[in-house]
Amino acid sequence: MLELLLFLAGMQIIIMLLATGYRYIDLWYRIGEYWPGITARLITLIVLDAAVFYFLDSPYLNAFFWGQISYLIFHVAIFWVVRIGFWLLETARR
Amino acid sequence: MTVVALDQINKSEIDLAGGKGANLGELIANGFPVPPGFVIGADEYASFITAFDIPSNDTMPEDPEEFLAGLRERILETPLCRELQEKITAAHEELKMARPSEFVYAIRSSATAEDLADASFAGQHDTYYYVAPIDLEVMTRKCWASLWSDAAFSYRQSQGIEHRSVNMAVVAQEMVRSDVSGVTFTADPVSGSESVIITEASWGMGAAIVDGRVSPDQYLVDKISNRLTSIKISDKKFMVPATLSEGQTSRLTEVPADIRNKEALTDDQVEKIAQLALKAEQHFGGAQDIEWAIHGGDLFFLQSRPITVIGEHESEVPPGRYILFKPLAENFTDPLLPLTLDMLDDYVPLTIIHGRAYIRFELIRGLIPLKISDEDVARLGYLSDPEETNLRLSIPRLLLLSTLLISNYLLMAVFNRRTAAMPDDFMASYRAFCNRIAEDDSVSAQDTLVSVFGKFRFFEPAGNMVLLVNLVAPRYMLFLKMLSGLIEKWCPALPPDTASLLCSGTEGVLSTEMGREILELAEIAREFDDVAQIIREVPLKQTLSTLRTIDAAGNFINHLDRFLAKHGHRALKEFELNSVRWEEDPTQVLGMVRNYLLVDSDLNNTEADIQAQRNELEHQVDQALLAMPLESLGRPRLGLIRFLVGQTRYYMKLRENSRFYHIMGFYAVRKKLLKIEQSLLEANILKCKDDIFYLQWHEVKGLQSGELGWQDVEDTIRSRRMEYIRLSKFMPPKTIGIDIEAAQYDAGSTSLSGQGASPGRYEGIAKVIMDPATDNEIEPGEILVAPYTDPAWTPLFLTANAAVIEVGSYLSHAGTIAREYGMPCVVDVTNCTSRITTGTRIIVDGTQGSVVIVEEKA
């Protein structure tokens, strides 16, 4: 049960990390105003992540790690799945 | 061989004169006013066509298009025999003797199988106008050739009619140079009602109506009392004039601005037409579809044929159960045009019925984890409340829904967080994104649609993904629900709509700002009497050009340009690709400014009053919470309330604003299509503006590549235009295959129910507006009654004191704007636009979701 919760926690933190990283792009048009806040948040999340890695032991660390990795792979993969989906639709249309 | 004067024909002579000719002869014989003429008998055609060796239906080529094209060409190239030519000349000379001046002919095809009760070939065979006597022979052959058009051929095939058994007579009549023309139905061909006579009328010749080029005025007359019961005036943009000017190549001309929205018929004319139409129905023994024309005050009947299709086309509805897709329908209830439908079809998992989008009932059933009746599922699918109040969970469906929700969470988790707490202008980059794609000639119109809504780079800014933003926004419902629950628990003495009121008045909602900016334009116009006078009095089409001639209008024009730079992509029915955008034609914007100039009261006070009410309510909440235990220690409850209010407002704003940008995406697609249309018009491949929107995408590509020509699409465009007009005449049913209304709706009731979308109660006079393009005048204090609304209707909300909407939901534009302006609003009120008439006194209760008719207008 604790491993499941850590798996989910790992996912949640990587989600927050990704979203924070994207903020540089999303707020690029006003980056002068927003970069300090984004950077502070990013550093906080990285420190939190690092702390978890430092203090946790296997198998709990594995659960946390796999939660992060699996969502990261999912996030990248889903983008390409959607692109391929559009390509298939366009090919069928043509 | 036969050429006979029309007044010598009667209805039994269909084999000689064809259905049309026989009916016309019968009308003349019974005293109806029909233009004089003669018939070139069907036997002439039969004699002519024997030389062409037409195969029987069984031996027709499988792919007949090439055969038909060749046959038509041969008919056109083969001259008539000398004897027939002489008979035609003699008939013309006889007609000419009775006429005081030169005239031209209208040549009408009259097949022997048409205009009969069980097979009406309406529109299949050709009619020609402005035919000079010298061209009678050529036009006769053209009419004969029209018997072999692809459309007529297909129709006969579908009806099982032997092609060789149908002969063609040609009716040559003096052409009436119509001032006004139209069609009259002695039964409603859409609903099947036989108690009403429907007349549609527009300026000029009838070709514009028959071809579907113009939306005509519509007049309803009660058959028993012969009283005019309803008038709907349309914006009649085009007409076919009675006389072509020299060098004029296109018959379609623009209607002068001062009569576009003017009634084409007087009440007396409507009643006279109805009386005569009823007489025709009684004579022929069945409901009639009559074409007529008025010249110099004189009425003429041009055609009369039986109505063959009355009531809904059952074959149009696929088997199964469906629910109207409300998120689209609440923005406009008209059918979508063929090109829009075709472009969306691949990407939107909806079923198109009657030109509107429906969703399969089974899809909704599967997503709702409650043990409720199918009718209640349909109500929920239609975003209405279920009748059942004791709701129980269905565990299997709950598991399915939970799986879907978890999947959705995983898919959208990063994007949800990316769009949390963003500044108001984070989607502003979408404008440049759309413009870039619109200007890139290497991207087709179809690919534009995909590019602006779906095909993103990995590191695309969230502001460019407006469709995803719209998908994130509904989470405001969760926050609102939580807020409502807490207010009810902690502040039970406050009104039940407190949560909604607290969340209204959000700054930065672009559609609300649009309404304010139009108000500002009116105030700028008021600064100079000349400017205000021009806007009030000059016809809207000429207003801007007139303003540009005076120095005093400089400031107003600058502000108008800024307004259009920001909001110019908007339009009425803005999801429809053929809707003209404000940037292309600011007439509608000027009309809204004019509306404000005609109103005396100070509209600025409205928003201040609403804000004052909100402040008072916040104070009451604050006081109520202070009385609770431990609240004074850091104000935890107030903090939670404020957090929930903030989140609700934020996501409601996100929803409205993402919608603002969606329309920009559609405009990018429209720009591409307009470029294609322009090139096709210049190459004379298309003949009329807007025809492109009645084609499907593969047909447009065919025209561009040269695979298809005008002759390949002409009939298709005509039939789709007529089909669109037919579908536009009725409101789409909320559900198909499942009935959710029977218990609720009573046609004679003075009490109407719907869904409360904005709280409050108000009594006042109703103003029914069906289309703000033709009628956008509403007085302060009046109640807006409309079939639907979209952001282009927003300025009307600023003037009205309450709103009643036929198709809508809490989430719809009407509900959102009504809450922003603090006015009572009831949506989803079945048949409100027919049940309530302008001038009726009504009470709107947006809290209860009810409308009461207090006093009907006499």
Side-chain angles (χ1 to χ4, degrees), chain B residues 21 28 224 306 377 403 480 546 566 632 644 699 753 772 847:
Chain B
I28 292 175
I224 296 169
V377 168
T403 308
L480 183 60
T546 309
K566 187 175 170 188
S632 53
L644 291 173
E699 292 163 338
S753 66
T847 310

Side-chain angles (χ1 to χ4, degrees), chain B residues 621-638:
Chain B
V621 169
D622 185 40
Q623 294 302 301
L625 292 179
L626 261 178
M628 301 192 77
L630 301 178
E631 180 60 20
S632 53
L633 299 175
R635 306 302 311 265
R637 294 182 187 81
L638 185 64

Side-chain angles (χ1 to χ4, degrees), chain B residues 31-69:
Chain B
F32 289 90
V34 175
F38 54 88
V39 175
I40 300 161
D43 56 336
E44 302 287 356
Y45 165 82
S47 177
F48 176 86
I49 207 72
T50 47
F52 291 83
D53 203 20
I54 310 289
S56 67
N57 283 26
D58 294 336
T59 57
M60 277 289 174
E62 279 209 15
D63 190 1
E65 283 174 13
E66 202 179 316
F67 163 75
L68 291 171

